[in-house]
Amino acid sequence: MATIAEMLRRAKSVNRVSIRKMTAEIISEKHQDFEQKQRDQMLLGLDNKGRKIGYYSTQAYSSRKYSMNSKAGYGVVDLKFKGDFQDEITARVVSANRFIMYSQDWKMKKLTDIEKGYGPDIFGFNDTSKKEITSEIVMPALVFKIKNVLLRV
């Protein structure tokens, strides 16, 4: 069992810098969870501001897509047909507390184009998704990591 002095030293080692490092580790370790959360948000037809991604231009296509995925709502774009674009969604850490989300599918450039597609806001998380990510993914993993530091498990 650790002495009080050792426990205090461990507690002091948990600071802003170490928490940022732990958060970056969590993003790397849990990237698949972040990627799935992005897919889930797209299937609801929502962009990173909580707005509808867009609307289909014809009733026939709207009906066809609605039969494939009703979560987004009738006529609302969900960026999924066969699934290639969403299957290739990737989360990449770019700094200690920041990551970027993109798809490695060939349609990426077209879909994120402001003039011809839906714009770059199709990627990233809206406020609801951010809250879910924080409570369901980041905080439990961060608490686990901090406990490991304090208890040296």
Side-chain angles (χ1 to χ4, degrees):
M1 182 147 189
T3 65
I4 293 174
E6 175 61 18
M7 291 296 288
L8 184 59
R9 187 193 65 72
R10 290 178 189 173
K12 287 180 179 179
S13 75
V14 178
N15 56 37
R16 186 177 302 170
V17 173
S18 66
I19 289 175
R20 281 188 176 177
K21 182 181 176 209
M22 288 179 207
T23 303
E25 290 170 359
I26 291 165
I27 294 168
S28 288
E29 293 165 1
K30 305 279 187 181
H31 69 92
Q32 292 175 329
D33 294 330
F34 286 83
E35 294 160 2
Q36 186 57 52
K37 186 59 80 175
Q38 180 69 70
R39 288 183 200 99
D40 294 345
Q41 181 178 290
M42 286 178 172
L43 287 175
L44 293 174
L46 300 173
D47 69 8
N48 66 15
K49 302 216 177 4
R51 302 174 304 208
K52 299 292 183 190
I53 293 170
Y55 296 91
Y56 298 117
S57 59
T58 68
Q59 290 287 93
Y61 194 69
S62 293
S63 295
R64 181 176 182 194
K65 287 293 290 158
Y66 187 74
S67 70
M68 295 168 71
N69 172 34
S70 61
K71 292 178 188 176
Y74 184 83
V76 178
V77 171
D78 64 5
L79 300 174
K80 184 173 183 178
F81 190 75
K82 291 184 179 176
D84 296 341
F85 179 76
Q86 288 192 10
D87 289 345
E88 294 296 323
I89 287 176
T90 303
R92 184 171 55 90
V93 178
V94 293
S95 69
N97 61 352
R98 192 167 162 261
F99 64 96
I100 58 171
M101 194 76 69
Y102 60 95
S103 177
Q104 297 182 60
D105 185 70
W106 66 271
K107 294 179 284 301
M108 164 79 175
K109 189 172 183 175
K110 177 183 175 186
L111 292 172
T112 57
D113 186 272
I114 292 174
E115 300 292 321
K116 298 175 185 170
Y118 302 104
D121 290 345
I122 62 172
F123 285 103
F125 300 113
N126 61 40
D127 289 342
T128 301
S129 293
K130 286 177 187 174
K131 288 175 186 171
E132 291 171 354
I133 287 165
T134 300
S135 65
E136 297 169 12
I137 301 169
V138 176
M139 287 309 291
L142 187 58
V143 167
F144 180 80
K145 286 182 175 290
I146 291 170
K147 280 183 180 178
N148 282 343
V149 168
L150 296 176
L151 303 175
R152 290 283 190 246
V153 176

CSV table of all heavy atoms in Angstrom, one decimal, residues 71-96:
chain,number,residue,atom,x,y,z
A,71,LYS,N,-35.0,7.0,-39.8
A,71,LYS,CA,-34.5,7.8,-38.7
A,71,LYS,C,-34.3,9.3,-39.0
A,71,LYS,O,-34.5,10.1,-38.2
A,71,LYS,CB,-33.1,7.2,-38.2
A,71,LYS,CG,-33.3,5.9,-37.5
A,71,LYS,CD,-31.9,5.4,-37.1
A,71,LYS,CE,-31.9,4.0,-36.6
A,71,LYS,NZ,-30.6,3.5,-36.3
A,72,ALA,N,-33.8,9.6,-40.3
A,72,ALA,CA,-33.5,10.9,-40.6
A,72,ALA,C,-34.8,11.7,-40.9
A,72,ALA,O,-34.8,12.9,-40.8
A,72,ALA,CB,-32.7,11.0,-41.9
A,73,GLY,N,-35.9,11.0,-41.2
A,73,GLY,CA,-37.1,11.7,-41.5
A,73,GLY,C,-37.3,11.7,-43.0
A,73,GLY,O,-36.4,11.5,-43.8
A,74,TYR,N,-38.5,11.9,-43.5
A,74,TYR,CA,-38.9,11.8,-44.9
A,74,TYR,C,-38.2,12.9,-45.7
A,74,TYR,O,-38.3,14.1,-45.3
A,74,TYR,CB,-40.4,11.9,-45.1
A,74,TYR,CG,-40.8,11.7,-46.5
A,74,TYR,CD1,-40.9,10.4,-47.1
A,74,TYR,CD2,-41.0,12.8,-47.4
A,74,TYR,CE1,-41.3,10.2,-48.4
A,74,TYR,CE2,-41.3,12.6,-48.7
A,74,TYR,CZ,-41.5,11.4,-49.2
A,74,TYR,OH,-41.8,11.2,-50.5
A,75,GLY,N,-37.4,12.5,-46.7
A,75,GLY,CA,-36.8,13.5,-47.6
A,75,GLY,C,-35.5,14.1,-47.1
A,75,GLY,O,-34.9,14.9,-47.7
A,76,VAL,N,-35.1,13.7,-45.9
A,76,VAL,CA,-33.9,14.2,-45.3
A,76,VAL,C,-32.6,13.4,-45.7
A,76,VAL,O,-32.6,12.2,-45.6
A,76,VAL,CB,-34.0,14.3,-43.8
A,76,VAL,CG1,-32.7,14.9,-43.2
A,76,VAL,CG2,-35.2,15.2,-43.4
A,77,VAL,N,-31.6,14.1,-46.1
A,77,VAL,CA,-30.3,13.4,-46.5
A,77,VAL,C,-29.7,12.8,-45.3
A,77,VAL,O,-29.5,13.4,-44.3
A,77,VAL,CB,-29.4,14.5,-47.2
A,77,VAL,CG1,-28.0,13.9,-47.4
A,77,VAL,CG2,-30.0,15.0,-48.5
A,78,ASP,N,-29.2,11.5,-45.5
A,78,ASP,CA,-28.5,10.8,-44.4
A,78,ASP,C,-27.1,10.3,-44.9
A,78,ASP,O,-26.4,9.7,-44.1
A,78,ASP,CB,-29.3,9.6,-43.9
A,78,ASP,CG,-29.5,8.5,-45.0
A,78,ASP,OD1,-29.0,8.6,-46.1
A,78,ASP,OD2,-30.3,7.6,-44.7
A,79,LEU,N,-26.7,10.7,-46.1
A,79,LEU,CA,-25.4,10.3,-46.6
A,79,LEU,C,-25.1,8.8,-46.6
A,79,LEU,O,-23.9,8.4,-46.5
A,79,LEU,CB,-24.3,11.1,-45.9
A,79,LEU,CG,-24.4,12.6,-46.0
A,79,LEU,CD1,-23.4,13.3,-45.1
A,79,LEU,CD2,-24.3,13.1,-47.4
A,80,LYS,N,-26.1,8.0,-46.8
A,80,LYS,CA,-25.9,6.6,-46.9
A,80,LYS,C,-26.8,6.0,-48.0
A,80,LYS,O,-28.0,6.2,-47.9
A,80,LYS,CB,-26.2,5.9,-45.5
A,80,LYS,CG,-25.9,4.4,-45.6
A,80,LYS,CD,-26.0,3.8,-44.3
A,80,LYS,CE,-25.6,2.3,-44.4
A,80,LYS,NZ,-25.7,1.6,-43.1
A,81,PHE,N,-26.2,5.3,-48.9
A,81,PHE,CA,-27.0,4.5,-49.8
A,81,PHE,C,-26.5,3.1,-49.7
A,81,PHE,O,-27.2,2.2,-49.2
A,81,PHE,CB,-26.8,5.1,-51.3
A,81,PHE,CG,-27.8,4.4,-52.2
A,81,PHE,CD1,-29.1,4.8,-52.2
A,81,PHE,CD2,-27.3,3.5,-53.1
A,81,PHE,CE1,-30.0,4.2,-53.1
A,81,PHE,CE2,-28.2,2.9,-54.0
A,81,PHE,CZ,-29.6,3.2,-54.0
A,82,LYS,N,-25.3,2.8,-50.2
A,82,LYS,CA,-24.7,1.4,-50.0
A,82,LYS,C,-23.9,1.3,-48.7
A,82,LYS,O,-23.7,0.3,-48.2
A,82,LYS,CB,-23.8,1.1,-51.2
A,82,LYS,CG,-24.6,0.9,-52.5
A,82,LYS,CD,-23.7,0.5,-53.6
A,82,LYS,CE,-24.5,0.2,-54.9
A,82,LYS,NZ,-23.7,-0.1,-56.0
A,83,GLY,N,-23.4,2.5,-48.3
A,83,GLY,CA,-22.7,2.5,-47.0
A,83,GLY,C,-21.2,2.7,-47.2
A,83,GLY,O,-20.5,2.8,-46.2
A,84,ASP,N,-20.7,2.8,-48.4
A,84,ASP,CA,-19.2,3.0,-48.6
A,84,ASP,C,-18.7,4.3,-47.9
A,84,ASP,O,-17.7,4.2,-47.3
A,84,ASP,CB,-18.9,3.0,-50.1
A,84,ASP,CG,-19.2,1.7,-50.8
A,84,ASP,OD1,-19.3,0.7,-50.1
A,84,ASP,OD2,-19.3,1.7,-52.0
A,85,PHE,N,-19.4,5.4,-48.1
A,85,PHE,CA,-18.9,6.6,-47.6
A,85,PHE,C,-18.9,6.6,-46.1
A,85,PHE,O,-17.9,7.0,-45.5
A,85,PHE,CB,-19.9,7.8,-48.0
A,85,PHE,CG,-19.5,9.1,-47.5
A,85,PHE,CD1,-18.5,9.8,-48.0
A,85,PHE,CD2,-20.3,9.7,-46.4
A,85,PHE,CE1,-18.1,11.1,-47.5
A,85,PHE,CE2,-19.9,10.9,-45.9
A,85,PHE,CZ,-18.9,11.6,-46.5
A,86,GLN,N,-19.9,6.1,-45.4
A,86,GLN,CA,-19.9,6.0,-44.0
A,86,GLN,C,-19.0,4.9,-43.4
A,86,GLN,O,-18.4,5.1,-42.4
A,86,GLN,CB,-21.3,5.8,-43.4
A,86,GLN,CG,-22.2,7.0,-43.6
A,86,GLN,CD,-23.5,6.9,-42.9
A,86,GLN,OE1,-23.7,6.0,-42.1
A,86,GLN,NE2,-24.3,7.9,-43.1
A,87,ASP,N,-18.8,3.8,-44.2
A,87,ASP,CA,-17.9,2.8,-43.7
A,87,ASP,C,-16.4,3.3,-43.7
A,87,ASP,O,-15.6,2.7,-42.9
A,87,ASP,CB,-17.9,1.6,-44.7
A,87,ASP,CG,-19.2,0.8,-44.5
A,87,ASP,OD1,-20.0,1.0,-43.5
A,87,ASP,OD2,-19.5,-0.1,-45.4
A,88,GLU,N,-16.1,4.3,-44.5
A,88,GLU,CA,-14.8,4.8,-44.5
A,88,GLU,C,-14.5,6.0,-43.6
A,88,GLU,O,-13.5,6.7,-43.7
A,88,GLU,CB,-14.4,5.1,-46.0
A,88,GLU,CG,-14.3,3.9,-46.9
A,88,GLU,CD,-13.2,3.0,-46.5
A,88,GLU,OE1,-12.2,3.4,-46.1
A,88,GLU,OE2,-13.5,1.7,-46.7
A,89,ILE,N,-15.5,6.3,-42.8
A,89,ILE,CA,-15.3,7.4,-41.8
A,89,ILE,C,-14.2,7.1,-40.9
A,89,ILE,O,-14.1,6.0,-40.3
A,89,ILE,CB,-16.6,7.7,-41.1
A,89,ILE,CG1,-17.6,8.4,-42.0
A,89,ILE,CG2,-16.4,8.6,-39.9
A,89,ILE,CD1,-19.0,8.6,-41.5
A,90,THR,N,-13.3,8.1,-40.7
A,90,THR,CA,-12.1,8.0,-39.9
A,90,THR,C,-11.9,9.2,-38.9
A,90,THR,O,-12.2,10.3,-39.3
A,90,THR,CB,-10.9,7.9,-40.8
A,90,THR,OG1,-11.0,6.8,-41.7
A,90,THR,CG2,-9.6,7.7,-40.0
A,91,ALA,N,-11.6,8.9,-37.7
A,91,ALA,CA,-11.2,9.9,-36.7
A,91,ALA,C,-9.7,9.9,-36.6
A,91,ALA,O,-9.1,8.8,-36.3
A,91,ALA,CB,-11.9,9.7,-35.4
A,92,ARG,N,-9.1,11.0,-36.7
A,92,ARG,CA,-7.6,11.1,-36.6
A,92,ARG,C,-7.2,12.2,-35.6
A,92,ARG,O,-7.7,13.4,-35.8
A,92,ARG,CB,-7.0,11.4,-38.0
A,92,ARG,CG,-5.4,11.4,-37.9
A,92,ARG,CD,-4.8,11.5,-39.3
A,92,ARG,NE,-5.2,12.6,-40.1
A,92,ARG,CZ,-4.6,13.8,-40.1
A,92,ARG,NH1,-3.5,14.0,-39.3
A,92,ARG,NH2,-5.0,14.7,-40.9
A,93,VAL,N,-6.4,11.9,-34.6
A,93,VAL,CA,-6.0,12.9,-33.6
A,93,VAL,C,-5.0,13.8,-34.3
A,93,VAL,O,-4.0,13.4,-35.0
A,93,VAL,CB,-5.3,12.1,-32.5
A,93,VAL,CG1,-4.7,13.2,-31.5
A,93,VAL,CG2,-6.2,11.2,-31.8
A,94,VAL,N,-5.2,15.1,-34.1
A,94,VAL,CA,-4.3,16.1,-34.7
A,94,VAL,C,-3.6,16.9,-33.6
A,94,VAL,O,-2.5,17.6,-33.9
A,94,VAL,CB,-5.0,17.1,-35.7
A,94,VAL,CG1,-5.4,16.4,-36.9
A,94,VAL,CG2,-6.2,17.8,-35.0
A,95,SER,N,-4.1,16.9,-32.4
A,95,SER,CA,-3.4,17.5,-31.2
A,95,SER,C,-3.9,16.8,-30.0
A,95,SER,O,-4.8,16.0,-30.0
A,95,SER,CB,-3.6,19.0,-31.2
A,95,SER,OG,-4.9,19.3,-30.9
A,96,ALA,N,-3.4,17.3,-28.8
A,96,ALA,CA,-3.7,16.7,-27.6
A,96,ALA,C,-5.2,16.6,-27.3
A,96,ALA,O,-5.7,15.7,-26.6
A,96,ALA,CB,-3.0,17.3,-26.4
